[in-house]
């Protein structure tokens, strides 16, 4: 059951999940199956190539660990994003707490591993602000979901 009005922050969370699924279905899936190249007409590829050339050169090197991690993200994380969107749209953070926390744990582990590998590589991101503009929404979404789950748990205990 969907509440009449969602909190603005939950609307942002739903929109972010849509963005994440879009990245799964496009750039990540394309990257999983082959290198991204200049002139590629597929949706978002040229913008990704241009961005990575300037700010994230490791992504274009397509190291095997990066390709495999991106394949996992492209094909395994979208159900978690859908679950987060449902929880945010319906306010079901308490009811969905267990699967949300499992997904958030997996996503947080993947992000921390990815960022560790990025910043300790021979080609770390060249500018922090543009890099975080792309990667930051994932961390922001995780923080919001964790705070919503914690708040729903506190409400239940207080009742």
């Amino acid at each position: 059951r969907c509440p009449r009005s969602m909190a603005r922050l939950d609307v942002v969370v739903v929109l972010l999940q849509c963005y994440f699924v879009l990245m799964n279905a496009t750039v990540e899936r394309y990257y999983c199956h082959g290198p991204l190249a200049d002139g590629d007409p597929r949706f978002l590829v040229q913008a990704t190539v241009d961005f990575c050339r300037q700010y994230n050169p490791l992504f274009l090197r397509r190291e095997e660990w990066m390709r495999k991690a991106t394949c996992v993200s492209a094909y395994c994380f979208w159900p978690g994003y859908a679950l987060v969107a449902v929880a945010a749209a319906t306010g079901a953070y308490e009811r969905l707490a267990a699967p949300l926390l499992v997904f958030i744990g997996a996503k947080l582990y993947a992000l921390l591993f990815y960022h560790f590998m990025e910043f300790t590589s021979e080609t770390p991101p060249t500018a922090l602000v543009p890099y975080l503009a792309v990667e930051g929404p994932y961390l922001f979404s995780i923080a919001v979901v964790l705070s919503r789950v914690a708040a729903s748990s506190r409400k239940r205990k207080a009742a």
Side-chain angles (χ1 to χ4, degrees):
R1 146 184 116 87
C2 202
R4 280 198 182 146
S5 65
M6 291 171 34
R8 286 187 178 132
L9 199 51
D10 288 325
V11 172
V12 171
V13 168
V14 169
L15 293 173
L16 284 174
Q17 304 319 298
C18 293
Y19 163 71
F20 301 155
V21 170
L22 177 65
M23 292 299 103
N24 288 155
T26 58
V27 173
E28 291 182 359
R29 192 171 52 88
Y30 304 151
Y31 185 88
C32 177
H33 296 287
L36 305 181
D38 270 326
D40 190 322
R42 294 176 295 181
F43 186 59
L44 296 174
V45 172
Q46 189 61 54
T48 301
V49 169
D50 293 343
F51 178 87
C52 290
R53 187 177 295 116
Q54 192 168 9
Y55 302 113
N56 189 2
L58 182 62
F59 196 72
L60 292 179
R61 285 179 53 185
R62 203 164 180 271
E63 294 185 10
E64 188 63 12
W65 72 265
M66 176 85 76
R67 188 189 69 75
K68 288 178 179 176
T70 304
C71 290
V72 168
S73 180
Y75 290 101
C76 298
F77 283 175
W78 69 265
Y81 297 136
L83 183 70
V84 169
V86 166
T90 63
Y93 290 106
E94 181 182 351
R95 190 174 66 230
L96 297 173
L100 284 170
L101 292 174
V102 168
F103 171 68
I104 293 299
K107 184 62 186 176
L108 189 56
Y109 176 81
L111 281 172
L112 293 175
F113 174 77
Y114 174 77
H115 294 309
F116 175 79
M117 296 299 283
E118 279 276 354
F119 285 99
T120 60
S121 74
E122 295 172 5
T123 55
T126 59
L128 197 55
V129 171
Y131 178 81
L132 289 178
V134 171
E135 297 297 327
Y138 292 96
L139 296 171
F140 174 78
S141 177
I142 287 171
V144 171
V145 171
L146 289 176
S147 71
R148 294 290 204 234
V149 169
S152 72
S153 175
R154 283 192 299 274
K155 284 180 189 173
R156 182 175 41 97
K157 288 179 182 175

